[in-house]
Amino acid sequence: MRGVDAEQLAKLQENPANIRNICILAHVDHGKTTMADALISSNGIISSRMAGKLRYLDSRQDEQLRGITMKSSAISLRFNQGDQDFLINLIDSPGHVDFSGEVSTATRLCDGALVVVDVVEGVCPQTHVVLRQAWSEHITPCLVLNKIDRLVTELKYTPLEAHLRLQQVLEQVNAVVGNLFASGVLEQATLRDTEKTAQVSDLEGPRPNEEKMVYDWSDGLEETDDSNIYFSPDQGNVIFASAIDGWGFGIDHFATMYAAKLGVRVEILRKTLWGDFFLNGKTKRIMKGAQAKGKKPLFVQFILENLWSLYDTVLVKRDKEKMLKIIDSLNLKIAARDLRHNDPKVHLQAICGQWLPLSQAVLSMVCQKLPGPLQVDSVRIEKLMCGGGRRFDTLPPQSQQLKSAFQECRSEEDVPVIVYISKMFVIDNMSLPRNKQRPLGEEELLQRREDARKRHTLRVANQQQDTKLENQSEMSKESLETGTILLSETTSEEKAEEEGETFLAFARVFSGRIRKGQKLYVLSPKHDPMKALNRENGALGDQTVNELSGHSLTEFEVKDLYLLMGRELEPMESVPAGNVLGIGGLEDLVLKSATLSSTVACPAFTSMTFAAAPIVRVAVEPKHLADMPALVMGMKLLNQADPCVEVLVQETGEHVIVAAGEVHLERCLDDLRERFAKIEINVSEPIVPFRETIIIPPKIDMVNEAIDDINQIQRTRSNISELESEISKDGSLDIKTSNKLSAFKLRACPLPEEVTTLLEENTELMRILDQASVAWLSSRTSEQDTSDRLTCEVLSQLQEFRKRLDAAFTNAGKRWRGATDQIWSFGPKRCGPNMLLNRISGYKRPSIWQCLDEEGTVGSTVLREFDGSVVSGFQLATFAGPLCEEPMMGVCFAIENWTLEEQSNGGKFFSTAQKTGVDLNADNQSILDSNKGPRSENVSVPNSTDSEPYIATVPLDVGYPSPLVLAKSPTSDRSSPSVGSPDVTSPLPQFVGRGYGPLSGQIISTVKEGCRIAFQIQPQRLIAAMYKCDIQATADVLGRVYGVVSRRDGSILREEMREGSAVFDITATLPVAESFGFAEEIRKRTSGLASPQLFFSHWQVVPSDPFWEPSTEEELLHFGDKAENENQALKYMNGIRRRKGLYIDKKTVEHAEKQRTLSKNK
C-alpha cells in the first residue's frame, strides 16, 4: 500500500520553498533506476525487498527485457526531515547514448541533478555528456559514487586500495567539471571585453591604426570563485553508496556518530574524515600527513574497515554469531524471517538498510544542497527567455517584468501563468484514472450483497415452480438473451474506446497556477511578443487571436491535469508554480515541445539541445498498400511521441525514419508496428548519410610509386566533346548559358581541413550570419537600425569566428590569404561546410561580414543583378553532388570571371544600371529580391529533352593519373542544357518558346552544372560518418574484439588497462555504414564479456577512389587488369545510387560462357 496519497502531495505542492525538482543522470548500467527504486521504496510505493529488481520507473516491456531505461519518467515523493516535509519531484532519465534526447527533456524541467558514477568503471563517455548537459542548463549537480560493493566482492580490494580508487574517480569527475567551468569563464570574459570595446568605440569613435588588444585569459580564472562547483565529501555533495544492497552514507552521518566517541567537534570531523588525515593513537589528536607517515586515513579506519568487516562476516565467512553481535552493537532490529533466510544477501540488505539507509542519505542531501524553485538562477531565466540570439534587454518591458514572476514562483490569481512542455509522451487509455476501477464503498458493498441474496432466493423459488412457470422462464430467458446482447454491444463499444492511446504533455509550471478549464496560449518558437503587444496596446482581441492563430500562438482550454506517479496518474484540479505535471488535450496543438502562457508578453522558451543528433535512417512502407493511410498516421504519432526521432518524406516519395542509433531505431520500429500504425511494415536497409568531397591530386599510386607521365598506361580515349576546349590545363572551367548571354569561369579546390572543421562546428553561427546579412541589406534600404537584433554574446562569437577563419586561411598558404573577405556564400542551405568565393576582378559585392562592422561603407557597396541566381546555383550544386547525389563537404568554388552581354534584338535583357551594377542607395527592391536566392527565386524547368549528355576527356598531359570521364548525372536538372547547344540569336519571345526561359533560371542551371563539372575535374572522394566506439573487455577476449572491429573496417585508437583490474578500455572508430549488428556480433564472439557503446564522432574521407582502375605497370602487375579486389568507396557509391534509382556502370554478365553440367567421374 502507498504510504502517501495524492491529497498529501497536493498540499506539499503549495509550499515552493520545500519543493525539489531533480533528475538522475549517469552512464548506462551505472545504477540510476536501482537507486530510483530505493528512493521510491521509502514512500511505501514498492517493497524494499523489490528495490533494484522491480525497476518501477521502467514501465515499457522492452525496457524490462533489455535492462536499460529508454524514456524519462517522473514520480513525486514525500520526505520528512526534522519538522519539515519536502516534496521531491524525481525524474529518472536514460543512460544509453541513443536516448540522450530524453536526458535533455529531463534537465530542462529540473533545478538539480544526481550524477551517478560506477566506481569500478569510472567516468565514461556518457558521464561527460550528462555533466555538460547539466552545466548548459545551469542546474546544480550532486555526486553519488555507486557500486562500492563491487570493490569488495569482485575486485577484492583492501580498504586502503578502495580509498585510493574512490579518490581517483572523484578527481576524474572534478576534472570534467573544471573544464566546463574554465570554458564558461573564458566565454564570459570574452563577452565582457567585447561589450567594453563596443562602449569605448561608441563614445570615442574608431581609432586609426589601433593596435590589436592582447587578452590575458588567466585573469578571469583567477578572479572567479570556483570553490563551490567541485564535488567534495566535506562539502556534503557526495554520497558513497551501493544501490543494489540498499545502503549509502555521507560524511555527516559518521561525523555525528564519532564526534561523541572521540570527543571532537562535528565540524572538525566533517572536514577531516575525507582527506590525508589520521588519528594519533598516543595524543588522541587528528593530524595531517597520513600518506607520508604510512598511517591509515580516517576514512579508511573509521568507515571502510567497518564496511569491509561487515561484508566479510556476512557474505564471505557467513559467521552468524558474529553477525548477531554486529546487529546488537549497532542497535538494529532485524525481522525474524530475514534472519531465518538462507541467502546472505538478504541478511546484508536487512542490516545495511537499517544502519545506512540509502534513501535517507540521498534525499537529505537533495534537500540541503540542491536548490528549489525559489533559488532559480537569474542567468538561467534570461537564457530560457531569450532565443534566437536575442538580448534580454531587447525584450519588451512587459516581457522583462516576467523575470520577477520566475524568481518569486508565486501562485496567486494575478500572477501570469507560464508553463514549459519538454516533450509529449503516450499512454494507454486504460492507464487514465477515469478508466480504472475505483474501490467500492461500504454502501455499495451492502447493496451488492442484498442483490445477490435476492437472486439466490429467486433461483430457489424457480426450481419449485410447475411447468407453467417453466414456460414463463423460457420467455424470460429470451428477454435475458436480448438484454445480454445489448449489454455486450455496449461493453464492446466501451472497450474500443479504452484500447486507444492518449498523448500527455510532460511539463513544469514556472509561474502562476494552472487550472482545469483555464484558457491559455500555446506559443510557437516564432512567437514575437513585441508584435503581439503592439496590437491594440497589449489587449488581445478576438480579431488579433484569429490573425495569430495557427501562426505564432493558439488559444486553448486546459482539459486534464495529472500528478505523475511513475506508472500511475493522479487527477488534479490545479497545480501551483514550481511543480512537474502532466497535461492532457494538447495532442493537436503541440508537436514535441512548446511554451504555455496566459499572456502574449511571454516569449517562447529557447529550444533544447540534443547531445546525439539523429543519423541512422530507414525507409518504411506498408506490407499491404491499403494500409498506407495507417502508416502515415502512425509515423505522425511516432514523431510526436519521441523527442529525438525525425520523420520525413523524401522527394522520391519514401517515408523515412531518422533515429539516433540502432537501439533507438529498433524501438521506433516496434512502436510503429505495435502501438501507432498497428500494421505490418517493410523496412529497408539502413540509409547512412555520406558526403562528397575532392582532394589534392595524389602524387603516389596504389603501390606507393610516384605518378608521372612515363609510367602511365595509354588507354583508349573516348570521343572528345565540345566541352574539351572549355577545360583549361590548370583545372578551371569556362561555361556559358544556353543563350550565350552570360559566361562564367570557375574553379573547384578542396578547402583546408582546419577551415572545414571550423565551418562544421559553427553551423548555427553561419545561419545567424546569413539572417543578419539579409537584415543588414534591408536596414540599408529602409533606414532601420539592426544593432539590437543580435546580442553582444552573438556578435562576439561571430567576430571570433571571423578571426579564426582568417587565421585558418592564413595558415593554409598564400593562395588562401584574403579569402575571408571574398566569401560569397556558404552552402548547402547557406550554412554548410562549403564556400563560394568571389574572385571576379572589378566586382566588389557587399561582404557577408559587413553587418558586423561598426560603420558600413554604403556608397561603395555594389550588388550586381542576378547575384542571387549565382548563389542559388551554388546551393543546388552543393546540396547534391555528382557522385551519388549526396551533399558536398569541404569544397571551395571560386568564380574568377563573370560576363553579362547585352541582347540587341527584340528588346534588352539588361538596362545600363543592371550591366554596371546597382548602388545600394538606390531604391530598387528588385535587387534585394534577387539577393534572397532560393527564398524568392522561381526556377522554371522546361520539358526539353533535346540536350544529350556530354562527355569530356581530360588530356593525358595534364598530369592526372588516369583519364577522367565527365558525364551528366541521370538525375541532373534537364533545364540546364549542355554548353555545346546551338547558338540562339532570336528575340526574347522566341527564347521562351524554345524552352530557354528567363535568364535568371539559366544562370542557376549553368552555375549548378558548372560546379558539378569543376568538381568532377578534381580527384573525387566519399566522406563516411564515423562512430566512436568504447569497448570494455577482459584480456581473454581482446583478440576476438580486434577481429570484429577489423572485419568492419574499423581502427583501434587507444587501449588502456584499468588500474587494479583485468579489464581493458578500448577506443576505436567504426564507419556508421558498418555498425549495424556490431554490438550483437561482438557480444556473441566474446560470450558477453565485451560491451560496446557507439556514438557519432566525426566525418572521415574514404581513402579509396571510387573510379580507380589500374593505370601504371606496377598497379597492373599487382592488381591485374580488372582489379577484382573490393573497392570500399565504389561499394558505398553504388549502394547509394542503386537506392536512389541512379545509373550504375556495372555489367550484369562479365564472362558469358555456355552453361554445362558437371558429372561425376565414373
Side-chain angles (χ1 to χ4, degrees):
M1 296 294 292
R2 178 180 302 165
V4 182
D5 57 8
E7 295 182 358
Q8 293 176 338
L9 295 177
K11 292 180 181 178
L12 294 176
Q13 288 182 344
E14 301 295 335
N15 184 12
N18 289 352
I19 296 176
R20 299 294 183 269
N21 299 310
I22 63 170
C23 57
I24 305 179
L25 309 177
H27 187 77
V28 64
D29 291 335
H30 277 206
K32 299 179 302 301
T33 307
T34 304
M35 178 170 294
D37 278 0
L39 301 182
I40 294 171
S41 64
S42 66
N43 274 224
I45 300 176
I46 63 174
S47 170
S48 59
R49 291 173 172 269
M50 298 302 295
K53 304 173 184 177
L54 184 60
R55 301 175 65 89
Y56 182 74
L57 294 181
D58 290 348
S59 57
R60 291 174 57 97
Q61 184 178 1
D62 49 0
E63 288 180 320
Q64 294 288 342
L65 291 175
R66 288 181 176 269
I68 61 174
T69 305
M70 296 185 181
K71 69 179 189 320
S72 297
S73 303
I75 191 169
S76 296
L77 304 175
R78 177 189 176 187
F79 177 68
N80 180 265
Q81 189 176 30
D83 57 348
Q84 291 184 339
D85 285 338
F86 288 87
L87 176 64
I88 312 295
N89 294 319
L90 177 69
I91 303 178
D92 183 25
S93 62
H96 199 281
V97 66
D98 287 2
F99 307 101
S100 58
E102 294 281 349
V103 180
S104 301
T105 62
T107 53
R108 175 56 63 92
L109 303 184
C110 295
D111 302 314
L114 292 175
V115 180
V116 183
V117 178
D118 186 347
V119 295
V120 176
E121 297 183 1
V123 176
C124 293
Q126 198 64 13
T127 311
H128 288 263
V129 174
V130 297
L131 283 172
R132 190 179 301 110
Q133 287 179 313
W135 183 271
S136 63
E137 289 289 344
H138 296 274
I139 63 177
T140 304
C142 283
L143 182 63
V144 178
L145 296 178
N146 194 23
K147 299 190 179 182
I148 298 181
D149 60 293
R150 295 182 63 188
L151 300 178
V152 187
T153 58
E154 293 183 17
L155 302 183
K156 308 296 183 182
Y157 278 5
T158 63
L160 195 60
E161 292 173 342
H163 179 243
L164 181 61
R165 178 59 184 170
L166 293 176
Q167 286 180 324
Q168 291 174 350
V169 175
L170 191 61
E171 289 173 0
Q172 292 173 5
V173 179
N174 283 331
V176 178
V177 176
N179 291 335
L180 295 173
F181 169 76
S183 61
V185 170
L186 295 180
E187 185 177 353
Q188 293 297 326
T190 306
L191 178 61
R192 288 194 300 267
D193 293 336
T194 305
E195 291 179 350
K196 291 180 181 178
T197 306
Q199 293 175 359
V200 170
S201 61
D202 291 340
L203 295 175
E204 302 179 2
R207 299 177 182 178
N209 301 325
E210 185 177 6
E211 297 182 357
K212 293 184 178 180
M213 186 178 297
V214 179
Y215 296 97
D216 185 6
W217 300 113
S218 61
D219 291 343
L221 292 175
E222 293 176 356
E223 296 173 358
T224 308
D225 182 21
D226 60 346
S227 59
N228 296 323
I229 68 167
Y230 295 109
F231 300 110
S232 180
D234 55 0
Q235 292 185 3
N237 57 1
V238 177
I239 292 293
F240 304 92
S242 172
I244 193 65
D245 290 338
W247 59 265
F249 63 89
I251 292 296
D252 291 343
H253 177 80
F254 284 95
T256 306
M257 179 189 302
Y258 285 110
K261 294 181 179 181
L262 298 178
V264 183
R265 288 183 299 172
V266 178
E267 293 78 8
I268 297 177
L269 273 180
R270 187 181 293 117
K271 294 180 180 180
T272 57
L273 268 178
W274 179 263
D276 192 25
F277 298 94
F278 71 98
L279 179 65
N280 192 331
K282 296 181 179 180
T283 60
K284 301 297 181 181
R285 295 180 60 184
I286 296 176
M287 304 180 67
K288 194 174 183 180
Q291 184 177 2
K293 297 179 181 180
K295 302 292 184 179
K296 291 181 182 179
L298 294 178
F299 190 80
V300 175
Q301 183 178 359
F302 292 136
I303 300 177
L304 292 186
E305 286 186 349
N306 293 329
L307 278 175
W308 259 242
S309 176
L310 178 63
Y311 270 84
D312 182 68
T313 302
V314 178
L315 291 184
V316 181
K317 296 180 179 179
R318 300 191 180 186
D319 189 349
K320 196 169 185 178
E321 295 181 0
K322 188 175 181 181
M323 183 184 70
L324 293 176
K325 291 181 180 179
I326 293 175
I327 294 173
D328 293 337
S329 63
L330 295 175
N331 297 323
L332 304 179
K333 294 182 180 180
I334 307 299
R337 64 175 183 177
D338 291 336
L339 293 176
R340 291 194 301 266
H341 209 284
N342 294 327
D343 188 2
K345 271 284 187 181
V346 176
H347 299 159
L348 182 67
Q349 292 174 0
I351 296 173
C352 294
Q354 293 189 28
W355 180 34
L356 302 171
L358 176 62
S359 59
Q360 180 72 25
V362 173
L363 295 180
S364 61
M365 179 184 67
V366 166
C367 297
Q368 294 174 6
K369 299 299 178 181
L370 294 183
L374 293 177
Q375 291 88 29
V376 62
D377 190 6
S378 60
V379 177
R380 187 187 183 195
I381 297 175
E382 295 182 3
K383 184 178 179 181
L384 289 176
M385 297 179 66
C386 300
R390 298 188 62 176
R391 273 203 319 266
F392 182 75
D393 54 5
T394 61
L395 295 174
Q398 296 90 331
S399 301
Q400 296 184 27
Q401 293 175 0
L402 296 176
K403 182 178 179 180
S404 60
F406 272 88
Q407 293 176 326
E408 296 173 1
C409 197
R410 295 165 50 202
S411 305
E412 287 79 6
E413 296 292 338
D414 57 339
V415 178
V417 178
I418 302 175
V419 181
Y420 182 74
I421 298 173
S422 65
K423 71 170 183 175
M424 301 291 290
F425 66 99
V426 64
I427 61 170
D428 298 330
N429 284 343
M430 291 296 296
S431 301
L432 294 176
R434 64 172 179 265
N435 294 330
K436 288 188 176 181
Q437 294 182 354
R438 58 184 180 87
L440 299 177
E442 294 183 2
E443 297 181 358
E444 293 177 336
L445 289 174
L446 292 175
Q447 183 65 33
R448 288 200 174 192
R449 290 196 191 101
E450 186 67 25
D451 293 341
R453 193 176 295 112
K454 289 181 180 180
R455 287 194 301 270
H456 178 70
T457 305
L458 183 61
R459 190 182 303 111
V460 173
N462 287 337
Q463 292 177 356
Q464 299 175 356
Q465 294 296 332
D466 54 358
T467 51
K468 184 183 294 185
L469 294 177
E470 290 178 2
N471 295 333
Q472 295 178 359
S473 64
E474 291 180 359
M475 297 174 59
S476 63
K477 284 181 181 178
E478 293 179 359
S479 62
L480 184 61
E481 290 176 357
T482 56
T484 305
I485 294 173
L486 294 175
L487 182 61
S488 63
E489 290 178 355
T490 55
T491 54
S492 63
E493 293 177 359
E494 293 176 357
K495 287 182 178 179
E497 293 179 358
E498 294 176 355
E499 288 177 356
E501 305 280 348
T502 299
F503 276 92
L504 296 182
F506 191 49
R508 173 183 170 178
V509 184
F510 283 90
S511 173
R513 180 187 294 270
I514 184 171
R515 303 176 183 273
K516 291 180 64 175
Q518 189 178 21
K519 290 188 177 181
L520 300 175
Y521 300 110
V522 180
L523 309 179
S524 71
K526 296 183 179 180
H527 171 66
D528 188 358
M530 180 69 74
K531 294 181 180 179
L533 291 171
N534 287 338
R535 302 189 181 189
E536 299 185 5
N537 296 325
L540 194 64
D542 295 336
Q543 182 179 1
T544 311
V545 173
N546 294 332
E547 292 176 358
L548 297 178
S549 180
H551 298 283
S552 61
L553 60 89
T554 305
E555 189 177 14
F556 82 104
E557 183 177 348
V558 180
K559 294 183 180 179
D560 299 311
L561 301 175
Y562 299 103
L563 176 66
L564 302 177
M565 296 296 297
R567 303 182 183 183
E568 299 180 4
L569 299 173
E570 296 292 342
M572 305 289 288
E573 292 296 325
S574 65
V575 178
N579 291 281
V580 178
L581 77 158
I583 306 175
L586 289 172
E587 57 269 10
D588 297 331
L589 300 175
V590 179
L591 180 60
K592 291 180 181 290
S593 61
T595 307
L596 309 181
S597 179
S598 58
T599 172
V600 296
C602 177
F605 280 22
T606 56
S607 58
M608 294 176 292
T609 57
F610 298 118
I615 191 172
V616 181
R617 58 180 65 196
V618 293
V620 295
E621 63 179 7
K623 191 172 183 179
H624 305 288
L625 190 59
D627 296 333
M628 180 59 75
L631 176 65
V632 174
M633 180 56 66
M635 293 184 70
K636 178 183 177 183
L637 297 177
L638 174 65
N639 186 35
Q640 190 173 13
D642 197 311
C644 197
V645 75
E646 291 182 5
V647 174
L648 52 96
V649 180
Q650 291 187 340
E651 297 176 355
T652 57
E654 292 178 307
H655 291 77
V656 176
I657 297 176
V658 191
E662 190 176 1
V663 180
H664 185 210
L665 179 62
E666 290 179 9
R667 194 198 76 171
C668 292
L669 294 177
D670 290 341
D671 286 347
L672 189 62
R673 290 191 190 98
E674 302 171 2
R675 198 164 195 177
F676 300 126
K678 297 181 180 179
I679 60 172
E680 297 181 5
I681 59 175
N682 296 327
V683 183
S684 70
E685 293 295 326
I687 305 172
V688 180
F690 283 85
R691 297 291 184 265
E692 301 181 19
T693 189
I694 56 178
I695 64 172
I696 300 174
K699 297 181 179 180
I700 58 175
D701 57 13
M702 295 291 290
V703 291
N704 296 328
E705 294 288 340
I707 298 176
D708 52 25
D709 297 335
I710 300 176
N711 62 357
Q712 293 288 322
I713 299 298
Q714 299 295 326
R715 294 182 178 271
T716 304
R717 297 173 58 185
S718 305
N719 295 329
I720 299 175
S721 68
E722 298 178 4
L723 264 181
E724 189 265 340
S725 61
E726 302 292 340
I727 301 176
S728 304
K729 290 185 178 182
D730 59 351
S732 62
L733 172 72
D734 293 317
I735 190 169
K736 292 184 179 181
T737 57
S738 302
N739 54 15
K740 311 296 183 183
L741 293 180
S742 182
F744 295 90
K745 180 179 181 181
L746 49 89
R747 180 193 309 274
C749 55
L751 278 174
E753 185 177 354
E754 185 180 357
V755 176
T756 305
T757 305
L758 193 61
L759 296 180
E760 188 181 2
E761 294 174 350
N762 295 275
T763 302
E764 188 62 30
L765 281 180
M766 288 189 289
R767 184 180 290 112
I768 295 175
L769 178 63
D770 177 68
Q771 297 173 357
S773 180
V774 174
W776 180 83
L777 291 174
S778 303
S779 66
R780 288 299 181 261
T781 55
S782 58
E783 296 183 357
Q784 297 176 358
D785 187 16
T786 59
S787 59
D788 60 343
R789 297 192 179 187
L790 297 176
T791 63
C792 289
E793 182 179 1
V794 174
L795 283 173
S796 64
Q797 290 177 358
L798 288 172
Q799 292 172 357
E800 180 65 22
F801 171 58
R802 181 180 182 180
K803 293 178 182 178
R804 293 176 61 190
L805 196 61
D806 196 14
F809 276 127
T810 304
N811 297 334
K814 294 182 179 180
R815 59 179 297 190
W816 294 104
R817 290 181 181 175
T820 308
D821 297 328
Q822 297 174 354
I823 297 176
W824 201 330
S825 178
F826 300 102
K829 299 181 180 179
R830 295 180 175 266
C831 58
N834 303 284
M835 277 187 190
L836 179 66
L837 297 184
N838 174 25
R839 291 184 174 174
I840 305 171
S841 60
Y843 178 34
K844 296 182 180 180
R845 68 181 306 278
S847 172
I848 61 171
W849 311 102
Q850 201 140 0
C851 59
L852 306 180
D853 297 336
E854 295 296 332
E855 50 178 13
T857 55
V858 183
S860 61
T861 55
V862 177
L863 194 67
R864 186 181 290 188
E865 189 63 55
F866 302 113
D867 183 282
S869 300
V870 177
V871 175
S872 299
F874 164 73
Q875 300 293 336
L876 292 174
T878 54
F879 186 75
L883 286 180
C884 47
E885 301 293 331
E886 290 289 311
M888 295 183 187
M889 182 177 181
V891 183
C892 175
F893 295 99
I895 298 183
E896 299 176 352
N897 193 17
W898 177 19
T899 59
L900 288 173
E901 299 179 3
E902 182 181 348
Q903 174 65 26
S904 58
N905 297 331
K908 295 183 178 180
F909 271 62
F910 317 105
S911 64
T912 306
Q914 288 171 336
K915 287 190 301 178
T916 59
V918 184
D919 195 337
L920 282 175
N921 287 330
D923 188 12
N924 190 349
Q925 187 65 27
S926 64
I927 305 170
L928 297 174
D929 294 337
S930 65
N931 191 42
K932 292 179 182 178
R935 294 188 180 92
S936 60
E937 191 71 51
N938 294 323
V939 182
S940 62
V941 183
N943 296 324
S944 174
T945 59
D946 297 337
S947 59
E948 298 179 357
Y950 50 86
I951 299 176
T953 305
V954 180
L956 294 177
D957 56 354
V958 176
Y960 294 107
S962 62
L964 183 65
V965 179
L966 305 178
K968 282 179 67 175
S969 171
T971 60
S972 61
D973 191 0
R974 291 196 172 223
S975 66
S976 103
S978 61
V979 181
S981 299
D983 253 344
V984 180
T985 56
S986 55
L988 174 62
Q990 191 170 355
F991 286 165
V992 179
R994 294 187 60 177
Y996 291 110
L999 184 58
S1000 60
Q1002 294 188 43
I1003 291 178
I1004 292 175
S1005 301
T1006 303
V1007 173
K1008 173 192 171 184
E1009 206 62 37
C1011 291
R1012 293 169 68 97
I1013 297 171
F1015 182 91
Q1016 289 177 295
I1017 293 174
Q1018 305 295 332
Q1020 308 166 71
R1021 294 292 186 272
L1022 280 178
I1023 303 181
M1026 302 296 291
Y1027 273 143
K1028 185 179 179 182
C1029 178
D1030 290 318
I1031 308 173
Q1032 297 173 353
T1034 59
D1036 302 336
V1037 296
L1038 275 183
R1040 301 175 190 175
V1041 171
Y1042 288 177
V1044 175
V1045 172
S1046 62
R1047 273 197 304 273
R1048 293 176 176 266
D1049 298 321
S1051 58
I1052 304 295
L1053 299 181
R1054 184 177 60 88
E1055 172 197 327
E1056 292 182 357
M1057 188 174 183
R1058 190 176 298 162
E1059 295 183 7
S1061 67
V1063 179
F1064 284 83
D1065 292 329
I1066 305 166
T1067 303
T1069 57
L1070 190 74
V1072 177
E1074 305 288 344
S1075 66
F1076 301 100
F1078 173 74
E1080 183 178 358
E1081 181 183 2
I1082 205 169
R1083 289 193 187 101
K1084 287 181 179 179
R1085 296 285 182 182
T1086 62
S1087 301
L1089 296 178
S1091 56
Q1093 183 85 350
L1094 300 173
F1095 54 95
F1096 179 73
S1097 175
H1098 63 285
W1099 295 90
Q1100 181 172 310
V1101 177
V1102 180
S1104 55
D1105 183 0
F1107 299 110
W1108 177 82
E1109 291 181 359
S1111 59
T1112 66
E1113 295 179 357
E1114 290 80 6
E1115 289 177 346
L1116 281 173
L1117 183 63
H1118 189 273
F1119 296 102
D1121 192 15
K1122 296 183 178 297
E1124 295 177 354
N1125 61 320
E1126 186 179 16
N1127 187 335
Q1128 186 182 16
L1130 182 62
K1131 180 185 71 172
Y1132 291 154
M1133 186 183 72
N1134 286 342
I1136 300 171
R1137 294 184 70 89
R1138 187 181 298 109
R1139 175 175 56 83
K1140 294 184 177 182
L1142 305 178
Y1143 172 74
I1144 298 176
D1145 187 11
K1146 185 177 182 181
K1147 295 180 180 179
T1148 306
V1149 178
E1150 292 187 358
H1151 306 286
E1153 297 179 357
K1154 182 179 179 180
Q1155 183 178 2
R1156 59 191 179 193
T1157 304
L1158 300 178
S1159 59
K1160 294 182 180 180
N1161 295 327
K1162 294 182 180 180

